[in-house]
Amino acid sequence: MTTTRVPQEERTRVMRARLLEATVDLLVERGFTGTSTTLVSERAGVSRGAQLHHFPTKNDLVVAAVEHLTELRAAELAEAVAALPGGKRRTRAVLEMLGDHFASPVFVAALELWVAARTDETLSAAVRPLEQRVGRETHKLTSVALGADESQPGVRELVQATLDLVRGLGLANTFSDDTARRRRILDHWADVLDRELNR
C-alpha cells in the first residue's frame, strides 16, 4: 500500500483556510472581542504553534480574515446574481438576494470587523480599502442585475439607495429575526424601483 504525500504548499493552504474559516465563525458567534487566537486554533484543529507561525497576532489573523471575507462575499453575490430569474419579478428577486446577503453570517462577521476597525488604526487600514472594493463591486453587480442605466440622471443614486436600504435592514436583523418586515419593505421598494427605472 502506498501513501500519497500531500505537498507542503497544499498543507499550508488548507491549514490557513481552516484558520480563516474558524476566525469568521467565531466573529459571528462571539464578536470581535470574544475572538482570540487560542479559540481560533482550537476551532480549526490546528496547534497554537502552527497558528502563530502563520498569524503571529490577532490582528494578523483578523486582517487575513478580512481579505478572506471580501472574497467570500464577492463569490456569494456573483453566484446569487447568476441564479436570478428573468421576467417581471426580477427586481423583487434582486432585492431578495441582496436582503439575504446582508442578513447572512458573512455580513455579520464583516460588521464585527467594521465596528472593531472604527477604533483600531491597524485594522482600519486593512478593512477600509477592502470595504471600498466590496462596495464598488456590489454597486456594479446590483446595477447590472437591475438592468439600471446609470447614465440616466438619478439612477446611480437609486442603486446606491437600494444598497443602503438592504444594508440597514441587515443591521436591524442582527438584533432579532426581521424577515417579515424586510419582505414588506422590499416588496414596496421593488415597486418603486420598477417605476423609476422604467421611466
Side-chain angles (χ1 to χ4, degrees):
M1 181 177 161
T2 58
T3 57
T4 307
R5 188 163 170 76
V6 179
Q8 177 62 39
E9 188 177 290
E10 178 62 12
R11 288 198 311 269
T12 297
R13 189 193 65 73
V14 168
M15 181 184 298
R16 286 176 63 90
R18 282 177 26 210
L19 287 164
L20 296 176
E21 290 295 332
T23 303
V24 171
D25 289 347
L26 285 164
L27 284 168
V28 172
E29 291 169 25
R30 297 181 178 230
F32 181 78
T33 55
T35 298
S36 69
T37 54
T38 302
L39 284 172
V40 169
S41 60
E42 286 172 6
R43 174 70 61 95
V46 172
S47 73
R48 281 281 289 146
Q51 183 254 304
L52 289 170
H53 171 73
H54 292 287
F55 305 105
T57 68
K58 178 178 175 177
N59 263 12
D60 292 329
L61 184 58
V62 170
V63 166
V66 170
E67 294 173 351
H68 177 67
L69 265 178
T70 301
E71 291 166 14
L72 265 181
R73 289 165 69 195
E76 270 188 10
L77 277 172
E79 191 176 309
V81 167
L84 285 169
K88 63 180 185 177
R89 294 293 293 158
R90 182 172 174 92
T91 300
R92 183 60 182 86
V94 170
L95 294 179
E96 186 76 25
M97 177 267 300
L98 290 169
D100 289 347
H101 173 72
F102 284 106
S104 72
V106 170
F107 175 71
V108 173
L111 183 58
E112 283 294 326
L113 296 175
W114 294 353
V115 173
R118 190 179 68 80
T119 55
D120 183 317
E121 286 184 27
T122 305
L123 195 54
S124 179
V127 170
R128 188 172 289 117
L130 289 169
E131 277 304 320
Q132 287 170 345
R133 190 177 94 206
V134 168
R136 284 191 304 271
E137 289 171 0
T138 305
H139 183 103
K140 183 177 177 184
L141 219 135
T142 302
S143 185
V144 169
L146 289 170
D149 179 1
E150 293 198 359
S151 68
Q152 297 300 313
V155 171
R156 179 171 181 75
E157 291 75 15
L158 200 56
V159 172
Q160 192 57 52
T162 299
L163 289 170
D164 291 343
L165 171 66
V166 290
R167 189 179 297 111
L169 291 170
L171 285 171
N173 200 66
T174 60
F175 294 108
S176 63
D177 184 356
D178 206 35
T179 307
R181 187 175 75 98
R182 184 170 73 236
R183 282 201 182 111
R184 288 194 308 274
I185 291 170
L186 294 182
D187 283 342
H188 178 72
W189 190 246
D191 293 340
V192 171
L193 281 177
D194 280 336
R195 185 173 63 249
E196 294 299 317
L197 293 176
N198 291 322
R199 276 186 172 180

